[in-house]
Amino acid sequence: MTTTPANPTAPIVVTDLQGGYNGQAVIHGCNMEIAAGEIVVIMGGSGSGKSTFLRHLIGLKEPMTGDVQLFGQSLYGVNETKRLQLLKGIGVAFQSGALLSSLTVGQNVALPMIEHTDLDAEMIDIIVRMKLDFVNLLGKEDLLPSELSGGMLKRAAVARAIALDPRLTFMDEPSAGLDPVVAAALDELIIKLRDSLGMSVVVVTHELESAFKIADRIVVLDRGYIIFSGTVDDIKNSDNQRIQNLINRVAEEDDFDPEAHLKRLFGEN
């Protein structure tokens, strides 16, 4: 695995990344760089490798080969202590919100500060209120996650993700399961993270309307390969048929080989 320093001004640089499960590659030779203050949307159909790619980017799964560098330093070429230090510079808002159900909204947002800083309780309380105000949830700090609507739950997850003022935040399917009005408000919040805080944001989504609204750049994964990286206008004007099938929601027909199908059923190579 390479540990050669990448662009130190780039929050994240992915170099020749290959990864997967049980020795079976799902991600193949992917290269990607995110600029400071840039919103990048990662798209792809079901089974394209989006979730696996994200797991490599946020430190949850070591790649087979290649490297992920955060803020100019290798994420996987360092010891566990250094890796944890690097990961403190990112925030992650998971698709389900992943808030701790036994803690209030305020306690969930406070948790990263309690675990990773020496701030006193009064200062943590002030910062919690600031983060909740930023996502329009001020006054909801004493509610439990189960008492929140779907949109409020997503915003609370964002508040927790930005608790430590990360330079880079990842969001996994932020609009999933939300009605159009609530989803549009969440899109505006993502743009606000960039414009008000200067934050870089990586969004994994299949929601085309949201992607076209928020993205400075769109990266498309297809069968584990990055097949496109460009602006919204670029993707709309792409002459790649697989890209056009994706953005126009056209089903692709797979060639059916009966002999190969039977071999797979009986475990034959």
Side-chain angles (χ1 to χ4, degrees):
M1 180 183 300
T2 180
T3 56
T4 302
N7 180 358
T9 65
I12 186 167
V13 177
V14 180
T15 307
D16 297 330
L17 181 69
Q18 179 166 308
Y21 306 93
N22 301 319
Q24 183 69 39
V26 175
I27 301 298
H28 309 278
C30 288
N31 293 276
M32 182 180 74
E33 181 174 318
I34 309 300
E38 183 181 31
I39 298 175
V40 173
V41 170
I42 298 174
M43 298 181 63
S46 177
S48 62
K50 300 189 303 297
S51 296
T52 301
F53 191 48
L54 179 63
R55 288 174 63 84
H56 290 306
L57 300 188
I58 63 177
L60 293 181
K61 186 165 184 58
E62 186 165 350
M64 296 173 178
T65 59
D67 197 22
V68 175
Q69 297 193 16
L70 291 178
F71 318 115
Q73 299 185 65
S74 174
L75 179 59
Y76 294 103
V78 296
N79 60 38
E80 189 67 20
T81 300
K82 181 61 178 177
R83 184 179 304 169
L84 291 175
Q85 290 177 347
L86 286 172
L87 291 173
K88 289 178 186 179
I90 72 171
V92 182
F94 294 98
Q95 180 176 348
S96 64
L99 299 182
L100 298 179
S101 60
S102 60
L103 301 182
T104 65
V105 170
Q107 289 169 336
N108 268 283
V109 177
L111 191 59
M113 290 178 279
I114 293 171
E115 293 291 327
H116 300 297
T117 75
D118 296 322
L119 297 173
D120 60 40
E122 183 177 2
M123 181 56 68
I124 289 176
D125 183 62
I126 291 172
I127 296 174
V128 166
R129 291 174 59 82
M130 289 173 60
K131 301 305 181 185
L132 290 176
D133 186 40
F134 187 85
V135 301
N136 296 319
L137 285 180
L138 187 60
K140 308 297 185 183
E141 49 265 41
D142 294 328
L143 295 180
L144 291 169
S146 60
E147 298 174 301
L148 301 180
S149 67
M152 292 168 66
L153 191 64
K154 299 273 191 177
R155 284 185 280 142
V158 172
R160 185 181 62 181
I162 65 173
L164 296 178
D165 295 322
R167 293 161 54 190
L168 171 65
T169 295
F170 295 87
M171 297 188 184
D172 185 18
E173 298 287 1
S175 300
L178 302 180
D179 68 59
V181 174
V182 176
L186 197 58
D187 290 340
E188 293 295 340
L189 176 58
I190 294 170
I191 293 170
K192 185 179 175 183
L193 291 174
R194 178 197 62 195
D195 294 347
S196 297
L197 301 181
M199 193 177 294
S200 302
V201 186
V202 177
V203 179
V204 176
T205 185
H206 67 278
E207 301 287 348
L208 287 171
E209 185 175 354
S210 175
F212 289 168
K213 179 179 179 179
I214 67 175
D216 295 311
R217 183 158 50 94
I218 294 177
V219 172
V220 178
L221 274 172
D222 183 64
R223 303 179 188 183
Y225 295 90
I226 291 178
I227 63 169
F228 175 87
S229 177
T231 66
V232 172
D233 285 340
D234 290 337
I235 195 171
K236 289 180 178 179
N237 295 318
S238 172
D239 58 5
N240 184 310
Q241 189 58 52
R242 298 187 72 82
I243 297 291
Q244 289 302 316
N245 288 346
L246 175 67
I247 66 176
N248 292 300
R249 302 180 184 274
V250 176
E252 296 185 353
E253 296 183 3
D254 290 328
D255 293 332
F256 181 72
D257 184 335
E259 184 176 350
H261 179 66
L262 287 173
K263 286 183 177 180
R264 287 197 299 271
L265 288 178
F266 289 99
E268 300 176 13
N269 294 325

